[in-house]
């Protein structure tokens, strides 16, 4: 049997009929209603509503259906007809609900009423909004603001995010962690340090003008399917897409555009990647060092032989810092070291390097495969090193392009949600609202968990998200969570973070972005920022799930009003009545980025907020773009040991983070269960395991802590030697809290040290 036949895999292309069947299987009838169809047709178009799924850009030249399989799933999940009412909570205690699976909790549908935890019955009971706001305000007034966390998941609008951050600072802290602390914080820290801009430098046109794309650790087929459109166009133009990923992801292999009738009928799939390198998890620093080493050798050879250059020496001279040291490192490294750590042969890396040498304009794309590592920042720095060698930043058709996760996660940071006070215009806020903003650094996600452990965190407000499910070290954290005095969750659907709770607990149901939001001045618009730094207005006319829901803006304002003393410059009611006034505040705070905000928010394709690195203005310490010489060759935080594997925690095609839509991971051929352990067939045999055998994973982090996740079915899958795959969030109990990127504290979820226990 060939290795291919032996493993679980999927033969069809990404997209195609499978994607339509994928939607129909989950939503059946629901997806046929005229109101739902109308809403989907307006998704991601100017004047319509912006998808709640991923952050990929919404181009001006949109398709008839500018939504994808997973965007449609996310919208339909929000527009479901199922309701999670007070009657449901009357029937179930929270102790009982804690034994439920994530899927079954969310499957109850949309939350309809504000709820208060009643300790006597161990149930959530309905309450009035005013009662909830008053009680929460009273609790917050009694607590030390420094002991309170205001978490945000990256979905809430710019308007909500701005007010939420303002509320936090008026209250007296910078404790504003965000889902991005588990995601692209590595990007924000690394890019800021080396190119002086914390976000990607590419715009949409770059994808139309590039000659090659180097693609690291991002899975567009599942996580940003609309990115497959420009990738397909690029591949058809002959752009060379060179991919590095331990998993052979279908979306990076072949794609049939479900929007293209002819392709759908003929089944003509486009090949996406021209080279696919199954790098070992944590092996990207080594792989990139190998590529850079070959490029440098090619430069030295060409110069010797014909006095010409491979590198852009003018750019390196005028715009960068640290090249000499980096070049010395490349010369000193041996190919043996590079091959051992990357898991790739020298010839494969040379082949990739040759594409880089031959291409005039190159884009580097990446996702969680680079950011979620102990040396994630060095992963990103190495990709930037490669790009800098030929001046591929700040030029048309070139640049670095991190693919963001949540639909407005980048924007929330832009408008002030940050635990890092130095990134926020505090003086300006102080003047605008007549107060002294707190200067002390706030807690990020990992620090919040450390604070919980130490008993320093007394209250947690969650603006969306599912914190206890998303974080590492789950078992210890869930226990610590219940020691808090107050937990408040603002949410659309029931999840684990609502039923693990503090002494006083409230669950506040909000409108989703796909629903109509009417306030005193009429229907409201909200705005978001996408992965390419374009700002879009979003408006929906869909009838809300319940008449008792409030908008996130109204909930944040409601909480702030009962918590803070009156301040004539802070006009919560006026802002809730008309969100255009909040946009005016955003413009006043960030005049360069948000000029004429209200007038420009429906610009087709969004309006671009600009990027200094794209203009080759380097706001770094050296005043230039920095070459980084990594002191390590592996992104892994812990050495190799016999029996130790690197566990990759993965997303399936049927989930959005902790929201599980179903048990199909179609594009990987895994059906029916998420409780699987993916392993290379040779490795499986070497470990004496059999396909289908049920095993446990135990932590091998050498810190004496027992962490275990059991009930996993061994599944042969084409992974590099030494790597395992299993799903997030089920396996989060295996990630030590201390195991995170050194620069940004992003948990290292893509290389978790484990052993298999039979
Ligand atoms: N449908 C759907 N869409 C989503 C989400 C979702 O859960 N479902 N989540 C949203 C969010 S918040 C985010 S952040 C993004 C996440 O989107 P991605 O960035 O794509 O995140 P992952 O799927 O976790 O992992 C990305 C890829 O990294 C690869 N990988 C793992 N380890 C390594 C490594 O060491 N090196 C390399 N080169 N590759 C590696 C994995 O095989 C995988 O293909 O998607 C967003 N969009
Ligand atoms: N092991 C491992 N752990 C990971 C990751 C990984 O790859 N591996 N990925 C990390 C990443 S990239 C991220 S971003 C985090 C995700 O962490 P979070 O962002 O905290 O989690 P989500 O699962 O996206 O949150 C889902 C919940 O959000 C609520 N919700 C949905 N829509 C709305 C809305 O419009 N408003 C409000 N207020 N609430 C809403 C619903 O109640 C839903 O249950 O997980 C991280 N954790
Ligand atoms: Mo994310």
């Amino acid at each position: 049997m060939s290795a291919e036949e032996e493993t679980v895999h999927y033969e069809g292309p990404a997209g195609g009929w499978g994607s339509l069947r994928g939607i129909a299987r989950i939503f059946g009838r629901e997806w046929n209603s005229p109101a739902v169809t109308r809403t989907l047709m307006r998704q991601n178009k100017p004047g319509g509503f912006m998808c709640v799924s991923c952050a990929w850009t919404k181009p001006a030249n949109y398709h008839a259906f500018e939504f994808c399989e997973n965007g449609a799933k996310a919208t339909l999940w929000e527009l479901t007809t199922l309701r999670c009412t007070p009657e449901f909570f009357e029937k179930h205690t929270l102790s009982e609900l804690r034994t439920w699976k994530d899927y079954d909790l969310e499957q109850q549908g949309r939350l309809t009423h504000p709820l208060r935890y009643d300790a006597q019955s161990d149930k959530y009971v309905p309450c009035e909004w005013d009662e909830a706001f008053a009680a929460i305000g009273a609790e917050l007034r009694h607590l030390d603001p420094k002991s309170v966390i205001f978490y945000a998941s990256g979905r809430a609008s710019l308007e909500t995010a701005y007010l939420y951050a303002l509320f936090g600072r008026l209250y007296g802290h910078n404790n504003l962690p965000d889902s991005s602390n588990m995601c692209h914080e590595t990007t924000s820290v690394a890019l800021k340090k080396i190119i002086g801009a914390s976000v990607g430098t590419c715009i949409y046109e770059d994808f139309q003008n590039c000659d090659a794309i180097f693609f690291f650790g991002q899975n567009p087929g599942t996580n940003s399917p609309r990115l497959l459109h420009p990738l397909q166009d690029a591949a058809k133009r002959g752009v060379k897409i060179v991919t590095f990923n331990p998993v052979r992801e279908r979306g990076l292999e072949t794609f049939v555009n479900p929007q293209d009738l002819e392709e759908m009928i003929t089944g003509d799939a486009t090949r996406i990647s021209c080279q696919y390198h199954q790098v070992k998890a944590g092996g990207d620093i080594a792989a990139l060092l190998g590529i850079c080493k070959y490029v440098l050798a090619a430069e030295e050879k060409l110069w010797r032989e014909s006095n010409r250059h491979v590198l852009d020496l003018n750019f390196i001279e005028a715009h960068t810092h640290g090249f000499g040291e980096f070049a010395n490192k490349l010369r000193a490294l041996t190919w043996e070291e590079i091959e051992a750590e990357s898991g790739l042969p020298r010839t494969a890396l040379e082949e990739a390097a040759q594409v880089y040498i031959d291409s005039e304009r190159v884009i580097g794309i990446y996702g969680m495969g680079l950011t979620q590592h102990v040396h994630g920042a060095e992963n990103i720095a190495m990709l930037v090193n490669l790009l800098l060698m030929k001046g591929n930043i700040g030029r048309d058709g070139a640049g670095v392009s991190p693919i963001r996760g949540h639909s407005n996660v980048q924007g929330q940071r832009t408008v002030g949600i940050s635990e890092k006070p130095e990134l926020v215009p505090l003086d300006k806020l102080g003047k605008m609202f007549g107060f002294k903003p707190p200067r002390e650094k706030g807690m990020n996600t990992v620090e919040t968990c450390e604070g919980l452990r130490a008993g320093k965190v007394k209250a947690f407000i969650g603006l969306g998200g599912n914190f206890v499910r998303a974080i590492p070290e789950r078992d210890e954290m869930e226990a610590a969570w219940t020691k808090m005095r107050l937990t408040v969750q603002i949410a659309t659907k029931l999840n684990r973070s609502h039923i693990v709770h503090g002494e006083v607990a409230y669950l506040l149901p909000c409108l989703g972005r796909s629903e109509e939001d009417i306030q005193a001045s009429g229907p409201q618009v909200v705005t978001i920022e996408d992965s390419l730094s374009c700002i879009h207005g979003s408006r929906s006319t869909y009838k809300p799930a319940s008449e008792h829901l409030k908008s996130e803006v109204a909930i944040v304002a409601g909480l702030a009003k009962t918590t803070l003393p009156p301040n004539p410059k802070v006009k919560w009611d006026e802002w809730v009545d008309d969100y255009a006034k909040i946009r005016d505040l955003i413009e006043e705070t960030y005049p360069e980025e948000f000029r004429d905000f209200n007038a420009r928010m429906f610009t087709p394709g969004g309006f671009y907020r600009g990027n200094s690195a794209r203009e080759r203005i380097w706001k770094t310490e050296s005043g230039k773009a920095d070459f980084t010489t990594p002191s390590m060759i592996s992104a892994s935080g812990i050495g190799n040991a016999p029996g130790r594997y690197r566990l990759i925690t993965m997303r399936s095609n049927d989930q959005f983070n902790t929201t599980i839509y179903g048990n199909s991971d179609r594009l990987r051929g895994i059906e029916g269960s998420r409780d699987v352990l993916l392993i290379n067939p040779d490795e499986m045999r070497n470990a004496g395991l059999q396909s289908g055998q049920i095993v446990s994973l135990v932590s091998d982090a050498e810190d004496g802590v027992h962490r275990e996740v059991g009930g996993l079915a061994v599944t042969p899958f084409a992974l590099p030697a030494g790597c395992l795959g299993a799903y997030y969030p089920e396996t989060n109990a295996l990630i030590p809290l201390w195991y995170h990127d050194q620069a940004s504290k992003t948990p290292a979820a893509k290389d978790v040290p484990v052993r298999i226990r039979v």
Side-chain angles (χ1 to χ4, degrees), residues 53-54 70 183 216-219 222-223 244-247 249 279-282 284 367-369 373 405-406 648 651 655-657 750:
S53 194
C54 81
N70 282 328
C183 182
F216 285 82
Q218 201 271 339
N219 182 16
T222 287
N223 297 327
F244 289 81
N245 193 316
V247 179
E249 306 286 19
V279 64
K280 201 198 277 184
D284 300 274
M368 298 301 99
H373 283 285
H406 271 297
I648 305 171
R651 293 172 155 77
Q655 84 183 76
F656 190 91
N657 296 340
K750 292 294 181 270

Side-chain angles (χ1 to χ4, degrees), residues 179-180 182-184 368 372 404-406 409 651 657 728:
S179 58
S180 115
M182 298 178 255
C183 182
H184 270 291
M368 298 301 99
Q372 292 179 335
R404 293 274 168 163
H406 271 297
V409 65
R651 293 172 155 77
N657 296 340
Y728 141 68

Side-chain angles (χ1 to χ4, degrees), residues 127-164:
C127 68
E128 295 300 321
W129 279 104
D130 285 348
E131 188 190 327
F133 289 151
I136 297 165
E139 287 288 336
L140 290 175
R141 286 197 308 272
H142 277 105
L143 287 162
D144 172 4
K146 302 275 187 301
S147 71
V148 179
I149 303 294
F150 283 17
Y151 172 70
S153 164
R155 210 180 264 212
S157 64
L158 292 171
E159 290 77 1
T160 310
Y162 181 87
L163 290 193
Y164 193 54

Side-chain angles (χ1 to χ4, degrees), residues 48-70:
F49 99 96
M50 296 300 136
C51 185
V52 294
S53 194
C54 81
W56 179 244
T57 197
K58 288 84 184 143
N61 298 325
Y62 48 85
H63 293 74
F65 304 92
E66 194 52 59
F67 64 84
C68 63
E69 172 183 357
N70 282 328

Side-chain angles (χ1 to χ4, degrees), residues 104-119:
D104 295 316
L105 292 174
E106 288 219 16
Q107 193 58 30
Q108 300 313 311
R110 290 288 299 278
L111 294 162
T112 57
H113 286 71
L115 301 162
R116 169 178 65 80
Y117 176 63
D118 176 56

Side-chain angles (χ1 to χ4, degrees), residues 430-443:
K431 268 203 201 106
M432 282 171 67
F433 303 107
F435 76 119
K436 273 209 180 89
R439 303 275 160 176
E440 199 180 310
K441 193 190 161 303
M443 289 181 239

